[in-house]
Amino acid sequence: MSLRVANLATKMIRCPPEVILRPLARGDHVQRRLLTQENVASTMKRFYRTAVCTELKKPMIISQKESEDVDLDQVRIKVEAAAVNFGDILTVEGTYQEKIEPPFTPGNEFSGIVTEVGPEAKRIKPGTRVCGMSYGNAYAEEIIVNEGAVFEIPDEMSYASAAGFVVSYATAILALEKKGRIKRGESILITAAAGAVGLAALDLAKNVYGAEVFCAAGGEEKCQFLRQKGSTAIDYKKENIRTIVKSIKPRGVDLVFEVVGGDVFKDCFRSMAPDGRLLIIGFASGKHPMIPANHTLVKNVSVIGIYWGSYRGIDPQLFMWTITEVFKHFKAGKLKPHVDKTFKLEQVNEAFEYIRARKNIGKVVLEMT
């Protein structure tokens, strides 16, 4: 065989397999690369920071938590702010009425931006600024809740204000308008008035209903703040509530918005006018007073308990009315929610100490960034 023929035979033998296998080899490489990318994507996990109670009565820690999938009617929210409530502190201390075993993330009020919605969530769209409520888990950079638990917030409302707006203001408007039947020009006495729900009641009573407002709080600094809001302020650490009220309103006040309980409740009860309405909002003192039923009869006064959260199940229409109504008043420029102080997420224990020391006037808020 000549050298030329031998070389041609060699090419004929070598070329076909190379021609066939080279593209297959390239395809196999591409396939391997795609499979590798899929594996990487499948193993990529998203994490976010959250404040965790790992042991009751101990400081919380900041931890990383893996993101979970959004269910059918749920929404994922990038949390911008979360309200710090006294109930959260009690929960971490293990003294709240509803006990939770560690580890858990506290916080029930938040605001932020919707980043993802489930296929059956139709009301809220990604990119919407919202505030909402949850059963825990709000002290975090991310939260997943049912769509019905979030509400769009106006552009002019800050995330810090929005985080603590709904519960306080919706509670106050339910108490004043629906239960207390407040009328323009009536008088009202608000206790724990420097707290979040007390300030909400003051804001509504003064700026929406045009009421004459008496406020009771502990300490001159808080009282001075309440006077600047247009109320008569009573320091119940040094002054007697009934004495001050009766000196200005001899008949007594038409409504009482009572948050403290104990001896404060008794003084407020004795400060009421005939046909007055006393609205029980809570017992910040931890003391549940005995109501003198015979006095309700003699003075024709009403004592009414207010638990706003229960109306989500009892009367959903009324529940939603309270929320839409306070947002309506805010958009009209009548309401000005007050945020006392903000802390970063990693300062959560400092925020707790600030509230424990009774330093706050209005809401304390955690900001995530």
Side-chain angles (χ1 to χ4, degrees):
M1 182 183 295
S2 69
L3 180 60
R4 183 179 178 184
V5 172
N7 288 340
L8 180 60
T10 301
K11 288 180 180 181
M12 289 176 67
I13 292 170
R14 292 175 58 192
C15 287
E18 289 180 9
V19 170
I20 296 170
L21 293 176
R22 190 179 296 121
L24 290 176
R26 283 201 301 265
D28 182 59
H29 174 70
V30 171
Q31 185 67 21
R32 284 201 307 271
R33 188 174 64 191
L34 289 173
L35 288 172
T36 301
Q37 289 174 342
E38 287 176 4
N39 290 338
V40 169
S42 66
T43 56
M44 285 180 63
K45 297 179 179 180
R46 295 183 302 169
F47 292 86
Y48 60 92
R49 294 188 310 150
T50 180
V52 181
C53 172
T54 57
E55 185 178 352
L56 298 177
K57 295 183 171 59
K58 298 292 184 181
M60 282 185 289
I61 65 169
I62 304 301
S63 179
Q64 294 281 332
K65 186 174 180 180
E66 183 180 350
S67 294
E68 298 177 355
D69 292 333
V70 173
D71 211 341
L72 296 176
D73 60 347
Q74 291 182 322
V75 295
R76 188 192 310 276
I77 295 159
K78 178 183 180 292
V79 177
E80 296 290 342
V84 182
N85 294 308
F86 195 70
D88 301 334
I89 298 175
L90 297 180
T91 301
V92 169
E93 292 176 347
T95 56
Y96 195 61
Q97 55 197 15
E98 296 179 14
K99 302 288 192 295
I100 304 176
E101 290 299 321
F104 64 86
T105 294
N108 302 310
E109 296 181 271
F110 60 87
S111 63
I113 305 170
V114 176
T115 59
E116 183 182 356
V117 301
E120 294 183 4
K122 306 299 183 184
R123 184 173 58 88
I124 300 293
K125 305 298 182 185
T128 306
R129 299 173 75 247
V130 297
C131 65
M133 297 166 290
S134 64
Y135 295 102
N137 299 313
Y139 292 4
E141 294 176 326
E142 177 181 298
I143 192 168
I144 295 175
V145 295
N146 289 335
E147 182 188 35
V150 297
F151 313 96
E152 187 172 355
I153 60 177
D155 291 338
E156 58 270 31
M157 180 177 274
S158 70
Y159 287 117
S161 294
F165 181 74
V166 169
V167 174
S168 297
Y169 276 83
T171 296
I173 201 167
L174 172 68
L176 296 180
E177 183 164 338
K178 293 300 183 180
K179 300 299 179 179
R181 307 181 310 281
I182 191 170
K183 300 179 183 65
R184 181 162 294 277
E186 285 192 314
S187 57
I188 181 171
L189 167 62
I190 302 169
T191 64
V197 71
L199 279 180
L202 167 58
D203 203 2
L204 283 161
K206 191 76 180 176
N207 300 315
V208 173
Y209 304 115
E212 179 182 2
V213 183
F214 294 80
C215 286
E220 180 55 32
E221 182 181 354
K222 293 179 179 179
C223 287
Q224 184 59 36
F225 176 87
L226 295 168
R227 292 185 190 105
Q228 292 172 358
K229 292 289 184 180
S231 75
T232 298
I234 305 166
D235 183 353
Y236 50 56
K237 287 184 176 180
K238 299 187 300 183
E239 300 173 301
N240 181 269
I241 292 173
R242 181 177 181 272
T243 300
I244 301 296
V245 169
K246 290 282 190 173
S247 68
I248 301 171
K249 303 286 291 186
R251 288 184 73 253
V253 292
D254 301 299
L255 285 93
V256 174
F257 188 92
E258 218 293 275
V259 187
V260 179
D263 290 337
V264 170
F265 177 95
K266 296 176 184 177
D267 286 343
C268 290
F269 189 88
R270 297 169 61 219
S271 302
M272 295 172 68
D275 286 324
R277 292 88 73 199
L278 191 151
L279 309 166
I280 299 178
I281 312 302
F283 307 102
S285 67
K287 299 176 181 177
H288 303 165
M290 299 295 292
I291 299 172
N294 59 320
H295 290 189
T296 67
L297 177 67
V298 172
K299 295 184 69 174
N300 291 298
V301 297
S302 303
V303 178
I304 307 165
I306 311 293
Y307 177 31
W308 171 74
S310 67
Y311 282 91
R312 173 175 258 166
I314 296 172
D315 190 342
Q317 186 174 355
L318 175 59
F319 181 82
M320 286 305 303
W321 175 87
T322 63
I323 297 170
T324 57
E325 195 72 1
V326 291
F327 274 121
K328 183 187 79 175
H329 290 313
F330 176 85
K331 290 177 182 178
K334 295 180 180 180
L335 300 179
K336 293 179 171 55
H338 176 73
V339 176
D340 178 71
K341 191 173 178 65
T342 61
F343 293 83
K344 297 300 182 184
L345 178 62
E346 57 270 22
Q347 297 174 307
V348 59
N349 296 304
E350 296 175 40
F352 274 23
E353 288 304 317
Y354 185 77
I355 293 177
R356 283 193 187 100
R358 307 285 184 179
K359 293 180 179 180
N360 62 298
I361 299 175
K363 279 288 187 182
V364 172
V365 173
L366 295 179
E367 293 183 320
M368 304 303 143
T369 56

